[in-house]
């Protein structure tokens, strides 16, 4: 389940069972080290409150507990300035202190913890952290017990927050960073978009979204969007862009674990491209490249006429109608070339040759991304 906090989306990362198993291990390790001594557990607030609560339930021996509140984060970024907001009220001189920290990343907060306890003249000091980011750690302070070593990605839940939201989540969620490849495939009628989309879908494990297929599926299944689209078509009107966009949105939502999407037949106009960009941006996604199949008009017209003879499609047998489709393409779709060129995403690919040759050319462009 995706969780949205403010403007960010987070994916499930660690379950309650994983957390409780690791906390039980940490509690047992500390109990073994303390033997008959009675430690003072110092909990670093706010983030470690859930960790500390479950840790204390697992710690099967006498102990005391105290709290310190430190802060160094604002939003998703460290301020590099650690503030002690609530100081330690317990006398820990000559005591065995075990610090319970939720997460150690840069080590800035850990430095402040060591500074605090150097002044307290404790008998011993041990650091226990539930999470540790070795890639982000820049200090040399010892960390005695680590629950999970994790990548340098922002996490929330189980006490950790993003601008104070998410602390109450019972599991750990990780910032949803796009690792997918999203492509727009376009070209003139007869350029072979549909054929190539099928090959690329299989090769790169992508979801192929054809607006033609979307319309047919929604209309055949009498979905609310299909009925709406049919109502416009019955009147001889064009289906508004917002209806098509909603169909695309539903298809993307139905494939949350996709490695990416190939958009075939959409966008056809700059307003559609802008609408697609806006929607993908709202999902922390983007178009990575637009692959344009280039081919000479006369070659494509000949190709369509031959295809029409085999398929029986009348619109592919009438050369005049084919030329009119090319005029419409040039008027409405060709301006997308400039739109995607400006974004640095346009990749022109020679669309003349065998299916295999064209697939290789397209793959070479995708592999560069």
């Amino acid at each position: 389940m995706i969780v949205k906090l403010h403007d960010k989306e987070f994916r499930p990362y660690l379950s309650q069972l994983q957390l409780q198993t690791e906390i039980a291990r940490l509690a047992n390790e500390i109990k073994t080290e303390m033997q008959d001594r009675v430690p003072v557990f110092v909990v670093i607030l706010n983030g470690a409150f859930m960790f500390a609560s479950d840790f204390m339930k697992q710690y099967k021996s006498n102990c005391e507990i105290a709290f310190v509140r430190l802060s160094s984060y604002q939003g998703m970024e460290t301020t590099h300035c650690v503030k002690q907001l609530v100081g330690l009220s317990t006398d820990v001189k000559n005591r065995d202190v075990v610090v319970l920290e939720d997460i150690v990343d840069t080590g800035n907060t850990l430095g402040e913890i060591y500074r605090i306890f150097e002044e307290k003249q404790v008998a011993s000091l041990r650091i226990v952290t539930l999470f540790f980011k070795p890639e982000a750690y820049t200090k040399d302070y010892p960390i005695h017990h680590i629950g999970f070593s994790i990548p340098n990605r922002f996490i929330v839940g189980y006490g950790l927050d993003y601008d104070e939201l998410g602390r109450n989540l019972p599991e750990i969620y990780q910032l949803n960073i796009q690792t997918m490849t999203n492509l727009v495939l376009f070209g003139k009628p007869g350029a072979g978009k549909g054929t190539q989309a099928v090959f690329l879908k299989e090769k790169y494990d992508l979801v192929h979204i054809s607006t033609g297929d979307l319309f047919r599926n929604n209309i055949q299944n009498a979905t609310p969007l299909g009925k709406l689209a049919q109502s416009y078509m019955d009147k001889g009107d064009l289906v508004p862009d917002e209806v098509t966009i909603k169909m695309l949105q539903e298809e993307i939502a139905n494939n949350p674990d996709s490695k990416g999407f190939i958009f075939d037949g959409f966008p056809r106009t700059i307003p559609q491209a802008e609408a697609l960009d806006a929607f993908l941006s709202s999902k922390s996604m983007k178009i990575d490249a637009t692959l344009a199949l280039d081919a000479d008009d006369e070659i494509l017209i000949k190709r369509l006429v031959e295809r029409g003879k085999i398929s029986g499609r009348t619109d592919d047998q009438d050369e005049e109608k084919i030329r009119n489709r090319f005029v419409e393409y040039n008027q409405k779709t060709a301006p997308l070339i400039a739109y995607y060129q400006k974004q640095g995403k346009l990749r022109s690919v020679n669309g003349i040759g065998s299916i295999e040759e064209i697939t290789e050319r397209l793959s070479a462009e995708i592999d560069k991304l």
Side-chain angles (χ1 to χ4, degrees):
M1 179 184 69
I2 298 293
V3 171
K4 186 164 186 178
L5 305 175
H6 295 302
D7 59 333
K8 305 294 183 186
E9 290 187 340
F10 297 82
R11 286 181 175 272
Y13 183 53
L14 293 171
S15 68
Q16 293 184 58
L17 177 60
Q18 289 173 296
L19 292 169
Q20 296 305 319
T21 300
E22 199 61 20
I23 290 169
R25 180 187 67 79
L26 290 171
N28 188 60
E29 281 186 5
I30 300 299
K31 180 179 179 299
T32 300
E33 288 191 358
M34 288 295 106
Q35 297 180 352
D36 295 329
R37 291 173 289 170
V38 178
V40 179
F41 289 105
V42 177
V43 181
I44 307 300
L45 299 175
N46 287 341
F49 76 97
M50 290 183 77
F51 168 40
S53 175
D54 287 338
F55 181 95
M56 300 308 294
K57 294 171 189 174
Q58 296 288 346
Y59 192 77
K60 309 300 183 183
S61 190
N62 292 331
C63 62
E64 296 179 23
I65 188 167
F67 301 90
V68 173
R69 186 180 178 196
L70 303 177
S71 177
S72 66
Y73 265 79
Q74 195 168 46
M76 298 179 67
E77 302 294 332
T78 179
T79 62
H80 301 289
C81 178
V82 181
K83 299 178 181 178
Q84 188 174 160
L85 304 178
V86 177
L88 185 66
S89 59
T90 302
D91 184 6
V92 293
K93 184 177 181 180
N94 297 324
R95 299 292 303 275
D96 295 295
V97 172
V98 179
V99 172
L100 298 182
E101 176 66 296
D102 56 346
I103 187 168
V104 174
D105 42 28
T106 62
N108 292 331
T109 301
L110 194 57
E112 178 64 12
I113 290 170
Y114 270 96
R115 187 196 66 77
I116 291 170
F117 288 102
E118 280 178 355
E119 299 174 354
K120 300 294 184 181
Q121 300 179 17
V122 298
S124 67
L125 176 66
R126 303 196 72 77
I127 305 297
V128 181
T129 184
L130 185 55
F131 304 107
F132 175 55
K133 296 181 179 179
E135 297 171 14
Y137 195 55
T138 61
K139 308 296 182 181
D140 295 321
Y141 303 110
I143 305 172
H144 304 91
H145 302 273
I146 295 170
F148 299 92
S149 289
I150 62 174
N152 189 20
R153 292 265 295 275
F154 196 84
I155 59 173
V156 297
Y158 202 69
L160 290 91
D161 74 301
Y162 169 43
D163 266 350
E164 296 305 325
L165 292 185
R167 293 192 192 276
N168 60 318
L169 295 170
E171 300 176 336
I172 291 294
Y173 289 76
Q174 190 177 67
L175 181 65
N176 187 21
I177 296 177
Q178 181 182 0
T179 56
M180 57 174 57
T181 300
N182 297 314
L183 308 170
V184 171
L185 187 60
F186 75 87
K188 294 178 181 179
K193 299 187 299 297
T195 300
Q196 292 301 326
V198 171
F199 283 103
L200 297 177
K201 175 188 75 171
E202 297 298 329
K203 182 171 183 178
Y204 294 98
D205 195 17
L206 305 176
V207 174
H208 176 205
I209 298 183
S210 163
T211 48
D213 290 342
L214 281 182
F215 272 93
R216 282 187 289 273
N217 291 338
N218 276 274
I219 291 171
Q220 288 174 3
N221 294 317
T223 68
L225 287 174
K227 292 178 181 178
L228 181 59
Q230 188 68 62
S231 70
Y232 286 100
M233 296 164 66
D234 288 344
K235 292 183 290 186
D237 296 334
L238 293 175
V239 178
D241 287 350
E242 54 264 29
V243 176
T244 308
I245 280 286
K246 286 179 180 177
M247 290 183 182
L248 287 167
Q249 291 173 351
E250 287 191 355
E251 188 68 10
I252 291 171
N254 289 335
N255 294 277
D257 298 321
S258 167
K259 293 182 179 179
F261 298 89
I262 300 177
F263 297 94
D264 172 14
F266 192 93
R268 293 180 183 270
T269 64
I270 288 179
Q272 289 179 351
E274 291 172 340
L276 180 60
D277 281 349
F279 169 67
L280 292 178
S281 178
S282 73
K283 298 296 181 183
S284 300
M285 297 163 60
K286 61 182 175 63
I287 294 298
D288 294 284
T290 298
L291 304 172
L293 289 170
D294 290 336
D296 180 77
D297 286 5
E298 297 305 317
I299 294 177
L300 292 180
I301 291 170
K302 183 178 179 181
R303 181 187 291 177
L304 286 170
V305 170
E306 291 300 319
R307 187 176 76 180
K309 293 177 182 178
I310 297 172
S311 67
R313 287 176 53 174
T314 56
D315 59 334
D316 280 350
Q317 297 179 39
D318 190 321
E319 186 172 320
E320 184 178 351
K321 288 183 178 179
I322 293 172
R323 292 188 183 277
N324 289 336
R325 286 159 61 189
F326 277 37
V327 170
E328 182 182 6
Y329 174 89
N330 289 329
Q331 289 176 343
K332 293 184 177 180
T333 309
L336 284 171
I337 292 175
Y339 178 84
Y340 285 113
Q341 275 180 332
K342 189 175 181 180
Q343 294 185 1
K345 296 178 179 178
L346 185 71
R347 306 287 189 274
S348 295
V349 176
N350 181 2
I352 300 300
S354 68
I355 292 174
E356 293 78 11
E357 288 171 338
I358 298 170
T359 303
E360 286 182 10
R361 294 171 197 156
L362 289 166
S363 299
E365 293 297 329
I366 295 171
D367 292 341
K368 293 176 185 177
L369 296 176

